[in-house]
Amino acid sequence: MRWLWLLGMVVVARAMVRIKLHRGKSLRRALLDGGVLGRILLQQSPSPAAKYHPTTATEPLANYMDLEYVGTISIGTPPQEFTVIFDTGSANLWVPSVYCSSRACTNHRRFDPARSSTYRGTTTSVATWYGTGSMVGVLGYDTVTVGNIQVQNQVFGLSQAEPGSFLAHAPFDGFLGLAFPNISSSGATPIFDNMMSQGLVSQDLFSIYLTPNKRNGSFVLFGGIDDTYFTGNLSWIPLTAQSYWQIKVDSITMYGRPIACPYGCQAIVDSGTSLLAGPTRSVGNIQYEMGARRSASGVYLVSCSFIRLLPDIVFVIAGTQFPLPPQAYILQQEDGSCMSGFEGYTLPTATSELWILGDIFLRHYYSVFDRANGMVGLAPAV
């Protein structure tokens, strides 16, 4: 009988946990409301690929400008709550701390180690750089609660300084990275790795569903797949590298012909990037075909009346077509304008052509990130 009771405890411990993501004000909107958007855009040259380039630690502000999906976690005993971006394009967990007096920290919730009975400090430093700011801090260990999962002895970053202005306006406190350990700053073990090693999830995978059109219902599901949120079958795509969630794209077509990536290219599936990004020349071809024009603030605007005339842009991946309709890749702004969801970069990369499939893509496709088998699963979202 005692053996059966213990078995029951194990079954309960290994779970599927759904974390609700709230779609709120984007960083672009917050900066605009704060009257600093124009100044910050002039201070940097956005380059989404900088996040993945092996010779730089800079993560550009452009990666986060239109992010709207945040979730809640807690750290410590008793728990201290924080809103974070669940980011498949990075591997570190970090939040502001009471050690930080930067405006970006005082505007957000700050972790206080003195209030947690389970906190264990270190002297190991951690740092992340952004286009117009940075986070410098120290690593610590504590219990991190994600939904009803309690991850014991989880390493995380406590910011000590967040120079620059844009983080002060960010509609989130920190980041929870879901990429692989080999890209983690300071060798910190990512939280999903600890979920797996501590036997806290029923399967060594997680899935993401992002709602379109401001609807509620977005989530990250740790340890499982919810087939009620997609149609048809999942297409399984093997990873070409186990650092980011990187896959091979066969081609990108528009009007039935290749518009980019004609000979195949690499792509990173990244919930921590808002747009679709690729090499400047390839993206320029797409912007031209959709009639987009660069504005003074650097974004590409499209005539809203032109949307209904545009075709699908099709990403061919592992022989399967993943079309994006114009309603998905053109963003209607609150001021009534329409913005292209594509963004170009000029930074050299380790691969001949690298694309970033951000939230615009993920809103259209339910995505599964399978650590056990080294694959990404995609299916049309409902």
Side-chain angles (χ1 to χ4, degrees), residues 198-284:
Q198 294 177 23
L200 301 176
V201 287
S202 55
Q203 298 181 73
D204 291 345
L205 57 79
F206 60 91
S207 54
I208 295 178
Y209 173 74
L210 301 181
T211 59
N213 304 325
K214 304 294 184 184
R215 294 201 327 252
N216 293 324
S218 301
F219 60 81
V220 179
L221 180 61
F222 289 102
I225 300 168
D226 190 337
D227 60 10
T228 63
Y229 284 87
F230 61 85
T231 60
N233 298 317
L234 287 160
S235 296
W236 290 102
I237 305 148
L239 299 180
T240 56
Q242 295 194 11
S243 50
Y244 302 98
W245 292 93
Q246 185 169 323
I247 58 176
K248 183 181 183 295
V249 174
D250 302 331
S251 65
I252 302 171
T253 66
M254 191 174 185
Y255 296 107
R257 64 180 188 273
I259 191 72
C261 183
Y263 307 109
C265 56
Q266 296 293 303
I268 292 170
V269 185
D270 185 0
S271 64
T273 291
S274 47
L275 305 180
L276 291 158
T280 298
R281 178 176 295 183
S282 297
V283 171

